[in-house]
Amino acid sequence: MAELTLVEAVNRALTHEMERDEDVIVLGEDVGVNGGVFRATNGLLSRFGGDRVLDTPLAEGAIAGAAVGMAAMGLKPVAEIQFSGFIYPTIDQIVNHASRLRNRTCGRLTCPLVLRSPCGAGIHAPEHHSESPEAMFAHIPGVRVVIPSSPARAYGLLLASIRDPDPVVFLEPTRLYRLFREEFADDGEALPLDTCFVLREGKDATLVSWGAATHEATAAADALAREGIYAELIDVATLKPLDFETILRSVQKTGRCVIVHEAPKTGGFGAEIAARICEQAIYSLLAPISRVAGYDVVVPLSRLEKQFMPSVERIASAVRTVMENS
């Protein structure tokens, strides 16, 4: 059993899959000689050579376009975008080509590419290095959106993403890269995509989160338990397609729901989950749904970064409020 950080888990998953399948290609800025801006691809060039680990020019649109072409021709490219704030030039290729290749060719071609990128705030980075664009990608039909919140889930979900025949946007919470270690087997076992993970059972409220914010939600659930409030904690992990059944069962059990995410609140994916709960479980609710999210501003620089991200205190306070409003 290996005890690894999240970034090491990403590296192990890439290594395992490149050994298993010679069609897997890694490409991006500095992924070869330098081993990636966060070292996620460290050692891959020396192990697999320059034909399979490609340093590209500083051109995110070209990286995504090349990946689409490779995927259409039968390869399995894993493209890295150094920071999610630089991911926007890839949108044209993802929306207009990757997401609809299967539909456009009546199933003759698929597009098995993975677009990897660090995401989120918390490392005191400047503008364009702290974005949380998951809702934007989740709006694109034909694209899976995955955000792991632990090393074990990063490993298993990345394996599954590479093996998936359709495009996957794989967002890696930057501040979790080296935050903690987790023990798991480096055995090539993939985790299921499109499945939520129930991290903690509870009876009083449902906490729904994903990515880095899952850790503040966990700490909030710990604090609430000491007060006698037992929250069920769900890590969404795959936002698109959404395993709503797991969330629905939990809300029907607890009657209360607080959704936590780091992206700005307006138009965030929490709004989609809240809307579905209202459509399918409104008579199970004992209190209005609450969202704890980032604010509708550009992610601030380091001095105000913590005020932007959902804190343990804000999450716990939201749960206490839904309890009081019941």
Side-chain angles (χ1 to χ4, degrees), residues 117-196:
S117 183
C119 72
I123 62 166
H124 295 179
E127 187 190 7
H128 277 116
H129 294 71
S130 305
E131 314 286 294
S132 295
E134 66 267 23
M136 185 176 60
F137 284 106
H139 192 67
I140 304 171
V143 174
R144 279 187 161 77
V145 181
V146 179
I147 307 179
S149 65
S150 79
R153 286 191 284 284
Y155 177 82
L157 292 171
L158 182 54
L159 288 175
S161 299
I162 297 172
R163 296 169 189 172
D164 194 272
D166 291 306
V168 178
V169 175
F170 195 88
L171 299 171
E172 300 161 5
T174 314
R175 67 187 164 98
L176 301 189
Y177 265 155
R178 294 178 173 84
L179 186 64
F180 66 99
R181 292 181 177 274
E182 188 175 28
E183 191 174 79
F184 63 91
D186 180 10
D187 57 2
E189 190 72 27
L191 289 172
L193 296 175
D194 315 339
T195 299
C196 292

Side-chain angles (χ1 to χ4, degrees), residues 68 72 94-112 140-143 165-167:
V68 171
I94 299 300
V95 172
N96 289 319
H97 302 293
S99 69
R100 59 187 71 196
L101 195 60
R102 179 189 289 274
N103 182 69
R104 180 179 293 156
T105 63
C106 298
R108 188 172 59 85
L109 296 177
T110 60
C111 193
I140 304 171
V143 174
D166 291 306

Side-chain angles (χ1 to χ4, degrees), residues 30-52:
D30 297 326
V31 298
V33 175
N34 289 333
V37 64
F38 288 101
R39 320 303 291 170
T41 56
N42 192 36
L44 298 184
L45 178 62
S46 60
R47 193 161 185 163
F48 300 103
D51 289 339
R52 297 182 64 196

